[in-house]
Amino acid sequence: MELRHLRYFVAVAEEGSVKLAAERRLHTAQPSLSRQIRNLEHEVGTQLLRRSARGVEMTDAGRVFLDHARLAIAQAHAAVEAARRIAQPAKPVFAIGFLVGHEGDCIPPTTSLLRNDLPGLEVRVFSGFSVDLAEDLLRGRLDVAFLRREPTSDLEFRHVLSEPLVAVLNAGHPLAARASVDPRDLAAETFIGISPVPRILREVVYGYLERVGVSVVPSFEIDNFAMAMSLVQANDGVALLPASIEVYLPPAMVSRPLSGEQPTIDLMLGFRAGNKSPILAKFLARADELAARLRHMNRSQPPN
């Protein structure tokens, strides 16, 4: 079993689609990727992914295998980094975390800023859920992170942008024919809710529904975008998610704005209170400029 097979499997599992994993993350041909996954399943000796016309979902064996695959990849990366540290002179290190779903928007301008202002700096980039990024900031594993405003007095936050929530649904769904979705119509739909893990998003979604007087009983609750898209597709459901998901939607899915009140969720730049790092100070000196650039990019994105 080769490490690349594990990377292929993780990409397909996280995207919920062989096609999307091939095109967006692995930049390879879909038939070749499908063959590699079949070879992996043959070597493991059991089915890891259940395939359908709408994508793939993990079997019970696949879910267990995914955890170990991620760990193996992380350990391989750690081994490479350890070897490089021994072979190369030490460099100042700056670790940045990005909220899942915002990597595409935030990473390019952030790393560009660091390269221009701090040449020779070793930048380490991580991605995760907001609560995990906050914990990594508190423990000193990250210097700065793009995340939600987690409730802790030990972190400081700067506002980056307010992101609207949109309704995500299949392109053939009756509500997709409308320019916007009336939240009152959600009560009659298969509603894909938010689990307690992305707590801030859960509070924003359910708080919005309560304010507009809409009562929903979630058929499922999700904790990541890939799971949300799979459940929407498989059950012809509707989910309320941050608009940043739009760049990840396959052609068979669309997003629609909500009519009336426009609910938003804030993306913040967080860092540990009392962190006296001179690199962090230089980065924060350009934070307002970076936030303005990201807000401009967010407004310029065409609707799906």
Side-chain angles (χ1 to χ4, degrees), residues 115-273:
R115 284 197 306 269
N116 292 335
D117 283 13
L118 298 163
L121 179 68
E122 180 182 342
V123 180
R124 297 180 184 173
V125 175
F126 302 87
S127 176
F129 294 127
S130 181
V131 64
D132 296 325
L133 295 175
E135 180 67 19
D136 286 342
L137 285 171
L138 292 172
R139 293 184 177 275
R141 292 191 286 261
L142 293 176
D143 293 291
V144 70
F146 293 86
L147 73 171
R148 306 302 181 195
R149 187 188 290 274
E150 298 294 337
T152 170
S153 59
D154 295 323
L155 294 181
E156 296 183 23
F157 295 95
R158 294 190 182 184
H159 181 262
V160 176
L161 59 85
S162 294
E163 183 180 5
L165 297 186
V166 295
V168 174
L169 61 168
N170 288 330
H173 193 288
L175 293 180
R178 304 179 185 179
S180 63
V181 172
D182 189 323
R184 293 171 296 184
D185 291 332
L186 298 176
E189 299 297 329
T190 299
F191 187 72
I192 312 301
I194 310 297
S195 79
V197 176
R199 188 168 57 85
I200 305 300
L201 177 58
R202 178 184 176 92
E203 291 175 357
V204 169
V205 169
Y206 290 124
Y208 161 72
L209 293 173
E210 182 178 355
R211 289 195 305 275
V212 296
V214 175
S215 178
V216 298
V217 178
S219 300
F220 306 93
E221 289 193 332
I222 59 91
D223 61 13
N224 63 71
F225 285 178
M227 186 186 301
M229 290 187 289
S230 295
L231 288 171
V232 167
Q233 284 189 299
N235 299 276
D236 204 24
V238 182
L240 298 185
L241 297 170
S244 53
I245 196 176
E246 291 172 335
V247 298
Y248 297 98
L249 294 180
M253 297 180 67
V254 297
S255 67
R256 293 291 179 264
L258 295 160
S259 60
E261 176 189 343
Q262 297 296 302
T264 61
I265 184 168
D266 290 336
L267 181 67
M268 312 297 293
L269 187 65
F271 52 96
R272 182 167 48 85

Side-chain angles (χ1 to χ4, degrees), residues 69-85:
R70 284 171 169 159
L71 178 60
I73 293 170
Q75 289 175 332
H77 288 166
V80 171
E81 288 299 321
R84 287 174 176 171
R85 284 195 297 271

Side-chain angles (χ1 to χ4, degrees), residues 101-110 161 244 247-248 294 297-298 301:
H102 283 276
E103 301 94 336
D105 286 345
C106 294
I107 288 179
T110 302
L161 59 85
S244 53
V247 298
Y248 297 98
L294 290 171
M297 291 171 57
N298 192 261
Q301 288 179 353

